[in-house]
Amino acid sequence: MVGTAEGGAERAVRRWVDAAGGRLVLDGGLATELEANGADLNDPLWSAKCLLSSPHLIRKVHMDYLEAGANIIITASYQATIQGFESKGFSKEQSENLLTKSVQIALEAREMFLKEHLEKSTPIQHPILVAAALGSYGAYLADGSEYSGDYGEAGTKEFLKDFHRRRLQVLAEAGPDLIAFETIPNKLEAQAYVELLEECNINIPSWLSFNSKDGVHVVSGDSLIECATIADKCAKVGAVGINCTPPRFIHGLILSIRKVTDKPILIYPNSGERYDGEKKEWVESTGVSDGDFVSYVNEWCKDGAALIGGCCRTTPNTIRAIHRTLNQGCHKHQLPVGCSIDLCSTPNALLPAVP
């Protein structure tokens, strides 16, 4: 396991980026693709339903993204919380097992992907990583507040830390390569996350990823620069970035983040479609095509993004196009001295040990 003491998280992410040739490709809209494959996502506990009855479907979608060129697959735990499961009658043990299962399924998908390529005599020569997803408190509420950051009376740091603590511990214990704090809507929750990383002594690199609807602030109205500064000051955070945000805003947001941190920047925008929090659905025909989405990629590279992918309403086709564009347009670095290229036993085989 990669350590995060004294900036180890940032070093780990940089070495993964270097081993991938200068950019890491993230997967896309897991929930979007599950729905396209027949999963019913209307229930706030859709993740529990899929983890219980359709693990094969989750595994298939992970595999689809890996085949499309993703270096990082994100687990089906974004809306999965112990409190949400318990409210529907699951025991604490069952709830924790479901969180663990989300990581296990992704790890199994990676193993299957690497094995298939080894059998085809086309071994993978770049990192394949699993990121355990933690959505915001608003994602648990499923009332659209993940896109506003307005938590009412629940909006205190200690409440949020209590809410996320055991979930974070369980996901970390399941053995992912990264912890992905996603779609963070406000400064308060970012502060709760970094304090939990320290208090729980989480020794897995993490990233903090915020969302914005105006290209300047996070969705609550808090300053993105202040939010990014919170992430920058935490040694256990290896990357900082933006997700579930229209592509047209990403250029300016990257430049804002770069003002306050030298950590690797990750960006995985949505398709540009607008989400209606009251109807709980995406408004069709408000986004961009895959071609238009990918047309931004070289600009994001020039801006300094090191991890690039897609979020809601993007598909494996989007990720395939990003992968192709990065291979064509971005400089390829040499592998670090002394690195192996055999990734069949572990995704970290390309990486020198982090002191």
Side-chain angles (χ1 to χ4, degrees):
M1 182 178 294
V2 178
T4 58
E6 299 180 0
E10 181 180 341
R11 289 199 302 274
V13 174
R14 289 193 182 282
R15 290 179 182 183
W16 281 322
V17 168
D18 288 342
R23 296 291 187 279
L24 285 168
V25 179
L26 284 70
D27 63 9
L30 176 66
T32 299
E33 199 62 15
L34 287 172
E35 190 170 38
N37 279 269
D40 180 6
L41 305 188
N42 290 321
D43 192 307
L45 280 186
W46 64 264
S47 54
K49 289 184 176 180
C50 288
L51 290 166
L52 283 169
S53 64
S54 307
H56 62 285
L57 183 56
I58 299 173
R59 193 179 301 111
K60 175 190 180 300
V61 173
H62 286 322
M63 290 282 286
D64 288 346
Y65 278 113
L66 290 173
E67 292 290 354
N71 300 108
I72 300 176
I73 50 176
I74 303 174
T75 61
S77 54
Y78 173 75
Q79 282 187 308
T81 65
I82 295 171
Q83 296 88 338
F85 293 153
E86 289 182 329
S87 71
K88 296 296 184 179
F90 292 92
S91 69
K92 182 178 180 181
E93 181 180 8
Q94 290 172 320
S95 301
E96 293 183 359
N97 287 342
L98 284 170
L99 289 173
T100 299
K101 190 172 185 178
S102 70
V103 178
Q104 291 174 339
I105 292 170
L107 294 172
E108 290 167 3
R110 176 175 70 190
E111 183 178 355
M112 291 171 59
F113 175 75
L114 294 174
K115 182 179 179 181
E116 286 183 6
H117 278 265
L118 182 62
E119 291 174 347
K120 295 176 183 177
S121 299
T122 56
I124 301 301
Q125 299 183 3
H126 53 75
I128 300 294
L129 308 169
V130 170
L134 280 91
S136 67
Y137 176 65
Y140 152 75
L141 294 175
D143 62 356
S145 59
E146 65 196 292
Y147 299 104
S148 71
D150 182 5
Y151 296 159
E153 294 181 0
T156 69
K157 185 173 64 176
E158 291 306 315
F159 175 89
L160 293 173
K161 287 166 64 175
D162 288 342
F163 177 83
H164 290 296
R165 181 176 287 105
R166 183 56 187 158
R167 178 193 190 195
L168 171 60
Q169 292 171 329
V170 171
L171 287 171
E173 290 165 3
D177 303 289
L178 293 148
I179 302 291
F181 296 100
E182 299 186 293
T183 326
I184 307 171
N186 57 40
K187 182 170 63 175
L188 187 71
E189 200 152 21
Q191 189 62 51
Y193 286 146
V194 299
E195 291 186 15
L196 279 178
L197 287 171
E198 296 291 349
E199 292 171 12
C200 298
N201 194 27
I202 301 299
N203 291 315
I204 297 173
S206 68
W207 76 58
L208 265 62
S209 185
F210 302 89
N211 58 335
S212 172
K213 55 188 175 185
D214 65 2
V216 178
H217 307 88
V218 299
V219 292
S220 65
D222 290 341
S223 163
L224 172 64
I225 289 178
E226 291 180 7
C227 291
T229 299
I230 291 170
D232 178 68
K233 291 180 178 178
C234 181
K236 295 179 181 290
V237 174
V240 187
I242 297 292
N243 76 292
C244 212
T245 295
R248 67 183 183 276
F249 292 141
I250 298 300
H251 168 71
L253 294 168
I254 293 174
L255 298 184
S256 293
I257 293 171
R258 181 54 69 213
K259 292 178 182 178
V260 295
T261 187
D262 291 326
K263 294 180 188 286
I265 291 178
L266 74 151
I267 56 99
Y268 49 121
N270 58 36
S271 67
E273 292 175 73
R274 181 173 58 84
Y275 184 77
D276 187 322
E278 293 184 1
K279 294 183 179 179
K280 299 181 182 179
E281 61 184 27
W282 292 90
V283 180
E284 294 184 3
S285 303
T286 59
V288 298
S289 67
D290 282 348
D292 289 337
F293 185 101
V294 173
S295 69
Y296 289 98
V297 169
N298 284 329
E299 177 184 49
W300 297 337
C301 285
K302 292 176 184 178
D303 292 337
L307 299 88
I308 299 176
C311 198
C312 295
R313 311 293 283 180
T314 63
T315 70
N317 285 336
T318 315
I319 303 311
R320 186 173 291 106
I322 291 173
H323 174 74
R324 186 182 303 118
T325 299
L326 292 176
N327 282 341
Q328 293 172 347
C330 291
H331 177 68
K332 293 291 181 182
H333 300 295
Q334 296 293 322
L335 291 176
V337 176
C339 290
S340 165
I341 59 172
D342 179 11
L343 287 177
C344 295
S345 58
T346 169
N348 298 333
L350 280 176
L351 307 175
V354 177

